Amino acid sequence: MPRNIKGTITVEGEEVSVSNPDKLLWPEAGITKKIYLEKLAELSPYLLRYCHNRLLTTIRYPGGIHGKFFYQKNAPEPLPLYVKTVMHENIQYVVMDNLPTLLWLGNLASIEFHPSLHYVGENLPCEWVIDLDPSREEEPRIMEAATHVGEILSSLGLHSVPKTSGATGVQIIVPIQYGVTFDELRSIGHFVARYVTEKYPELFTIERLKKDRGDKIYFDYLQHYAGKTIASAYTPRARTAASVSTPLSWEEVRRNPRPADYNLLNIGDRIRTHGDLLQTVQPQSVEFILKHLTAKHSLQ
């Protein structure tokens, strides 16, 4: 990517406008829009992979992470010709399938990327994501909680990949074979949630109201559903450390890292060293678990 970003840049044969390249988006980390666009280009093979062919919601921070922000579902105008969009439930979504589109959104100060949990034009989930959401801004037990959930999934015969949300939580991704419904995955999620809250009642809750959770970690099995989104793997987040939602190994989780340890300034080196850990687990069948749950319910 050119060092002197000013006016427009040519990316994959497309002209991408760049405005205010010296604007500080993450003041504490010293990341200007120019640096941000360079980091997005570095992340693009991975961020584009997990937003490909999905309905995209972004969160924009025109004045930087400490300024006002807003969620963008409808594609902003004017639209360059290289930006693909699709209409879904009366919303014209951006489908971020190429680098020029990513950098165009980055220039608009789109800092967070939240794709749909299903592909464009389809209604089946393309992955299963468990969201562990702390009730406190600083939660030293979040990696311990993730470890427990990973062990329970493993006992069910499921391989999973934990990732930092980039904010305060952890998400656990279970690659699944295509064809399962959202309702079927929700039933498995509810089963795992009930089990983990009964086994570790001091740590987990499935209480939906935040005011009633105390200091417990919310096992959110409801977020994984049609029409909802979760922060993409490798999306930056609007946090002072410029953290990035980063897949981890379970060994790393057991070392109790902080989400801020993985950020825009070091994510490139990490990927070059470790690769994309989400690619280490192949899609798996959950049919055996579903049959077990169906049989259990039929006996009740």
Side-chain angles (χ1 to χ4, degrees):
M1 189 159 181
R3 293 299 299 171
N4 296 316
I5 302 177
K6 184 177 181 180
T8 62
I9 53 175
T10 301
V11 181
E12 297 180 354
E14 304 290 354
E15 292 294 314
V16 180
S17 297
V18 176
S19 58
N20 302 315
D22 296 326
K23 178 183 285 293
L24 276 170
L25 297 180
W26 284 269
E28 289 85 356
I31 296 176
T32 62
K33 186 187 286 185
K34 174 181 180 292
I35 295 172
Y36 178 46
L37 295 180
E38 291 172 345
K39 296 301 181 182
L40 283 181
E42 185 177 41
L43 278 172
S44 62
Y46 313 98
L47 186 53
L48 290 174
R49 175 182 289 164
Y50 299 109
C51 292
H52 175 74
N53 197 31
R54 305 200 203 184
L55 309 171
L56 183 67
T57 298
T58 62
I59 309 180
R60 292 174 58 185
Y61 290 77
I65 65 166
H66 299 303
K68 294 181 180 180
F69 66 92
F70 60 95
Y71 286 77
Q72 180 101 54
K73 289 183 177 288
N74 271 301
E77 299 285 350
L79 274 177
L81 292 177
Y82 53 77
V83 176
K84 177 183 176 182
T85 65
V86 66
M87 184 68 73
H88 178 77
E89 296 182 351
N90 297 316
I91 296 174
Q92 193 76 23
Y93 284 95
V94 169
V95 181
M96 192 172 71
D97 282 356
N98 57 56
L99 178 56
T101 298
L102 173 59
L103 297 182
W104 171 70
L105 288 169
N107 180 61
L108 295 176
S110 299
I111 283 178
E112 300 192 7
F113 299 84
H114 297 246
S116 62
L117 296 165
H118 58 84
Y119 294 125
V120 171
E122 303 184 24
N123 55 17
L124 295 177
C126 47
E127 62 189 354
W128 180 29
V129 183
I130 294 170
D131 190 22
L132 302 181
D133 184 15
S135 300
R136 302 184 290 184
E137 180 63 24
E138 294 291 333
E139 177 49 85
R141 304 171 299 170
I142 188 62
M143 294 298 169
E144 174 192 353
T147 299
H148 291 321
V149 175
E151 290 170 348
I152 290 168
L153 291 172
S154 182
S155 73
L156 294 173
L158 294 174
H159 299 284
S160 59
V161 180
K163 76 176 180 73
T164 66
S165 70
T168 58
V170 168
Q171 284 129 18
I172 299 172
I173 298 177
V174 185
I176 55 167
Q177 292 179 359
Y178 194 72
V180 186
T181 68
F182 278 104
D183 284 323
E184 287 172 329
L185 286 180
R186 182 171 280 190
S187 70
I188 301 175
H190 183 235
F191 170 74
V192 176
R194 289 287 301 274
Y195 182 86
V196 77
T197 53
E198 290 172 6
K199 187 171 183 179
Y200 303 102
E202 75 291 345
L203 191 57
F204 293 98
T205 181
I206 54 174
E207 171 57 56
R208 296 184 67 183
L209 295 178
K210 192 167 186 177
K211 66 181 182 64
D212 295 330
R213 295 179 196 165
D215 65 354
K216 296 180 180 179
I217 295 167
Y218 178 44
F219 187 115
D220 189 355
Y221 65 93
L222 297 171
Q223 182 64 21
H224 190 273
Y225 210 66
K228 295 181 180 292
T229 65
I230 283 181
S232 173
Y234 302 106
T235 181
R237 300 303 298 265
R239 313 290 290 193
T240 56
S243 50
V244 171
S245 181
T246 304
L248 306 175
S249 69
W250 283 112
E251 181 181 351
E252 287 177 309
V253 168
R254 287 188 284 272
R255 296 181 199 146
N256 197 31
R258 299 178 306 128
D261 292 342
Y262 312 97
N263 55 65
L264 281 173
L265 298 178
N266 62 25
I267 189 65
D269 288 339
R270 175 181 170 79
I271 294 173
R272 284 186 285 274
T273 301
H274 296 279
D276 180 7
L277 296 181
L278 281 175
Q279 296 299 299
T280 63
V281 176
Q282 296 301 308
Q284 308 150 89
S285 173
V286 294
E287 288 302 318
F288 178 79
I289 301 171
L290 287 171
K291 287 179 180 178
H292 172 78
L293 292 178
T294 301
K296 182 179 178 180
H297 289 154
S298 65
L299 294 173
Q300 292 178 346

